[in-house]
Amino acid sequence: MRAHSDDEEDSDSAGQKSVEVTGEKSQQVIQAGEEVSLKSNYYKKNMKMGVLFALFVLLLSIYLHKNPHGFCLDSEFSKNISGIGLALKAEVYGQHIAQKVVTSALKNHFAKYNARKPLVLSFHGWTGVGKNFVTSIITEHFFKHKTHSSFVHKFIVPVHFPHDSEIDNKGGLFIFDEMDKIHLGMMSTIKDIILGFRGKEVAAGYQNMVFIFLSNSGGHAVNQHVLKHALDGKLRQSLMLKEMELIFQGMIKQTPDAWFADLLKSDVIDHLVPFLPLERTHVKQCIRRDLIMKGFHVREALVSEIADQMEYFPDGHGFFSVSGCKKVSSRVDVIVG
């Protein structure tokens, strides 16, 4: 009986072991299945991410092909044209022609989707009459970072000159100062670069590029015309753009190799912008603004005293400031500071 009982116990033990082994194998199979399922899901997830990444790269490449300046220019370029117009009216003194031409040119250019070339403005006038000041207003309203924007490129012609690739690979605002000192060979390079944009597709984004040329060229002729206008008893505000353009056309006939002559003939320059000489009343406006900016109390006796320190022409009349408003700030410092 005991032997029989021992046999039964051995049999039960073996059965239990068999069940345990079978259970372990089943658990292993389940675990293996779960691992396969996890790996499958992992691979699927990675494949989806890979497809999405490839799609992103494709869309990005298409975007950059259409807009070579990338996302940076889009996010930085504010183009507050209405703000420019208001600032020009409020802050630029004695330049009714420039105010109108600049505002209209910018508004019309950026309203065009099919612009085939960058906008090119050429500012002409005597020293201190507001050419650089207008340029700074445009910059302040063009970009979110204003004058500190990486898309503002200013070149002083006698000091340095950009390589063509430097212009071709960047977007934004290009300012060339003292263009009357430029070598004709350099001028030819600029002309070729700007005209070269006409071959680009419309969607390339080059209509978001603006070139501004600054020079004293024609300043003396403009001054003489405005002086005659004043001596004839005519109002300053009655001066028109058309009569100013005739002055520059006459200059081109007399001096065919003037730096701007070929640019006008080949339609590289879209708008020639004349700046008029400033009168004593405009100088006083500059003095008041400078006093306020420096925290001084504005007294008309003080304003007149500073204005009297400036030099005016012509002799016997003293209609216009020889240096415009250029020396106002230093005069204020000397007399008030």
Side-chain angles (χ1 to χ4, degrees), residues 99-155:
Q99 291 169 2
K100 184 176 181 180
V101 174
V102 170
T103 304
S104 177
L106 292 171
K107 182 178 179 181
N108 292 335
H109 179 76
F110 290 112
K112 298 176 183 177
Y113 175 74
N114 62 340
R116 289 287 181 178
K117 62 181 282 292
L119 175 64
V120 181
L121 304 174
S122 189
F123 293 177
H124 297 256
W126 205 245
T127 182
V129 294
K131 301 186 298 295
N132 273 292
F133 187 52
V134 170
T135 302
S136 68
I137 289 177
I138 293 173
T139 304
E140 291 279 329
H141 292 80
F142 255 21
F143 306 103
K144 293 180 180 178
H145 290 89
K146 302 182 178 181
T147 56
H148 301 292
S149 174
S150 60
F151 292 100
V152 178
H153 318 289
K154 185 167 184 176
F155 307 97

Side-chain angles (χ1 to χ4, degrees), residues 37-312:
S37 178
L38 288 172
K39 289 181 179 180
S40 177
N41 290 336
Y42 175 78
Y43 290 133
K44 288 180 179 179
K45 185 177 180 180
N46 280 351
M47 286 182 66
K48 287 181 179 179
M49 291 179 65
V51 170
L52 290 174
F53 179 75
L55 181 60
F56 171 77
V57 172
L58 177 62
L59 293 174
L60 179 63
S61 64
I62 293 173
Y63 174 84
L64 292 177
H65 174 71
K66 294 294 184 181
N67 183 2
H69 307 311
F71 296 109
C72 296
L73 181 59
D74 286 349
S75 61
E76 175 69 4
F77 212 15
S78 57
K79 290 186 292 188
N80 183 8
I81 308 302
S82 60
I84 292 175
L86 292 173
L88 291 178
K89 287 182 179 180
E91 301 176 35
V92 180
Y93 308 132
Q95 303 298 347
H96 66 282
I97 296 177
Q99 291 169 2
K100 184 176 181 180
V101 174
V102 170
T103 304
S104 177
L106 292 171
K107 182 178 179 181
N108 292 335
H109 179 76
F110 290 112
K112 298 176 183 177
Y113 175 74
N114 62 340
R116 289 287 181 178
K117 62 181 282 292
L119 175 64
V120 181
L121 304 174
S122 189
F123 293 177
H124 297 256
W126 205 245
T127 182
V129 294
K131 301 186 298 295
N132 273 292
F133 187 52
V134 170
T135 302
S136 68
I137 289 177
I138 293 173
T139 304
E140 291 279 329
H141 292 80
F142 255 21
F143 306 103
K144 293 180 180 178
H145 290 89
K146 302 182 178 181
T147 56
H148 301 292
S149 174
S150 60
F151 292 100
V152 178
H153 318 289
K154 185 167 184 176
F155 307 97
I156 308 299
V157 171
V159 179
H160 59 274
F161 192 81
H163 189 269
D164 54 356
S165 61
E166 191 175 0
I167 296 176
D168 191 46
N169 294 329
K170 295 180 180 179
L173 178 63
F174 294 84
I175 304 162
F176 294 83
D177 200 358
E178 300 189 35
M179 287 293 291
D180 45 301
K181 299 178 182 178
I182 194 170
H183 187 276
L184 291 181
M186 294 180 179
M187 194 65 262
S188 179
T189 300
I190 292 182
K191 173 187 172 183
D192 292 341
I193 291 172
I194 295 176
L195 291 180
F197 287 119
R198 290 179 173 174
K200 309 289 184 180
E201 56 182 299
V202 175
Y206 293 109
Q207 64 267 30
N208 286 338
M209 298 176 70
V210 177
F211 288 76
I212 300 179
F213 300 146
L214 310 177
S215 83
N216 293 337
S217 300
H220 180 71
V222 169
N223 288 355
Q224 293 303 309
H225 182 83
V226 178
L227 175 59
K228 183 180 183 303
H229 189 85
L231 292 174
D232 289 342
K234 299 178 182 178
L235 295 175
R236 182 186 183 92
Q237 291 295 119
S238 66
L239 286 164
M240 305 293 289
L241 174 62
K242 185 175 181 180
E243 57 190 293
M244 295 293 145
E245 290 176 334
L246 290 175
I247 293 174
F248 286 92
Q249 290 174 12
M251 288 180 60
I252 292 174
K253 290 181 180 179
Q254 293 179 3
T255 313
D257 60 346
W259 71 265
F260 55 89
D262 189 44
L263 299 185
L264 285 173
K265 291 177 182 178
S266 56
D267 293 327
V268 170
I269 295 176
D270 297 297
H271 300 276
L272 191 150
V273 186
F275 282 73
L276 313 179
L278 299 183
E279 300 174 4
R280 184 182 293 263
T281 182
H282 304 128
V283 172
K284 287 186 174 182
Q285 287 178 296
C286 291
I287 293 171
R288 294 187 190 98
R289 178 172 59 196
D290 195 73
L291 288 169
I292 292 172
M293 289 178 61
K294 293 175 178 176
F296 296 117
H297 178 64
V298 177
R299 294 180 292 107
E300 287 306 310
L302 176 61
V303 172
S304 295
E305 179 185 353
I306 298 172
D308 290 341
Q309 298 294 315
M310 307 293 286
E311 186 179 356
Y312 300 89

Side-chain angles (χ1 to χ4, degrees), residues 11-31:
S11 176
D12 292 341
S13 177
Q16 289 177 0
K17 291 179 178 180
S18 176
V19 171
E20 289 175 358
V21 170
T22 302
E24 290 177 357
K25 290 182 178 180
S26 297
Q27 187 66 28
Q28 291 175 355
V29 170
I30 292 172
Q31 290 177 351

